[in-house]
Amino acid sequence: MIENMLVMNKLRILGTAFIVVASAAIISSCGDKRSTGWEYARNMYDPIAYNPDQPNKNFKNGQTAQVPPAGTIPVGFDGFFEYPNTIEGYEAAGVSLTNPLPAAPANLAQGKVLYQNMCSHCHGAEGKGDGSIIKQDKFPPPPSYSTGMSSRGGAVKDLTDGKIFHTITYGVNLMGPHRSQLEPSERWKIVMYVHELQKLQ
Ligand code: HEC
């Protein structure tokens, strides 16, 4: 009996302690809306290092986030493309540039996935110029890869490696450039898949 009462008392003390702590937490969080209340380990909020958006006296322009010096490139960058975004650059690429990747099934399969993600909403799954945004009348149809004519002359089905790569890199008229979205190797895989679509009837 006495033991039972001791257990009851313990529970009561624990319960009361809990209620006191909980109400203290609730009450301290009310009041001044702008106050952060009690803060645990304040120095975790104020890091020693500068935040990118913080003012910074160490730099002339007073900002922490700095633009990389002109002419610098990321480690491992292989995006140089020597052909300019002109009709001459397009023609020259068309003559002298060929796909550096082997025509392996894995490359073609990846090219298909990339094409479906990056191109098919305009060009259509089979490259007929009937992608989803065309069907919604939101965009004029691009020429079919197999039966259309290029705005730069000739049939689209005859476009060579270099011309397709140049087009993906810089875009043409209403088609935007894709050089910042697709690495050169990804563009070459897509070129491989576009060749497959050019053969469709
Ligand atoms: C926003 C819609 C859109 C997207 C996305 C798009 N294209 Fe195009 N594409 C066009 C249009 C429109 C044209 C016709 C432009 C012209 O010649 O006036 C075109 C033209 C082309 C041509 C023919 C170029 C030539 O020399 O005549 C090729 C090849 C091509 N696109 C490939 C691609 C590939 C590959 C992708 C994906 C990486 C892609 N396009 C993404 C709209 C798009």
Side-chain angles (χ1 to χ4, degrees):
M1 186 66 181
I2 289 176
E3 265 178 22
N4 262 354
M5 279 179 66
L6 279 179
V7 171
M8 293 274 289
N9 268 346
K10 246 189 212 164
L11 280 179
R12 203 167 291 161
I13 290 166
L14 274 178
T16 317
F18 175 77
I19 289 169
V20 169
V21 171
S23 22
I26 292 169
I27 290 165
S28 72
S29 66
C30 303
D32 182 3
K33 287 268 182 298
R34 296 184 60 81
S35 158
T36 48
W38 289 339
E39 288 170 27
Y40 171 70
R42 177 67 226 174
N43 56 359
M44 293 203 331
Y45 297 80
D46 301 321
I48 301 163
Y50 286 94
N51 285 326
D53 58 352
Q54 238 173 327
N56 192 324
K57 287 194 290 267
N58 301 314
F59 291 107
K60 267 193 199 141
N61 64 0
Q63 298 169 357
T64 298
Q66 297 292 308
V67 187
T72 49
I73 50 163
V75 173
F77 179 79
D78 65 348
F80 289 114
F81 187 50
E82 65 216 77
Y83 298 90
N85 184 12
T86 57
I87 191 74
E88 292 80 26
Y90 167 80
E91 293 295 343
V95 175
S96 27
L97 202 58
T98 48
N99 201 329
L101 302 181
N107 286 336
L108 186 61
Q110 285 168 20
K112 179 177 182 178
V113 173
L114 289 164
Y115 174 85
Q116 284 168 341
N117 292 341
M118 305 299 295
C119 324
S120 67
H121 52 286
C122 290
H123 284 275
E126 296 188 331
K128 307 247 186 243
D130 57 354
S132 53
I133 69 165
I134 311 297
K135 288 182 189 144
Q136 292 165 25
D137 282 339
K138 292 201 172 137
F139 203 80
S144 157
Y145 289 148
S146 51
T147 58
M149 295 302 288
S150 166
S151 64
R152 290 177 285 196
V156 179
K157 73 172 165 42
D158 297 330
L159 292 183
T160 54
D161 278 359
K163 284 188 174 176
I164 302 173
F165 189 89
H166 188 283
T167 305
I168 304 176
T169 304
Y170 295 118
V172 52
N173 299 329
L174 279 177
M175 173 178 160
H178 288 72
R179 70 187 310 181
S180 63
Q181 293 101 307
L182 293 163
E183 292 189 2
S185 63
E186 293 174 318
R187 280 176 250 161
W188 281 122
K189 287 172 187 168
I190 296 180
V191 168
M192 223 176 264
Y193 188 65
V194 169
H195 280 319
E196 293 299 308
L197 300 179
Q198 285 172 311
K199 293 180 211 152
L200 295 180
Q201 275 314 310

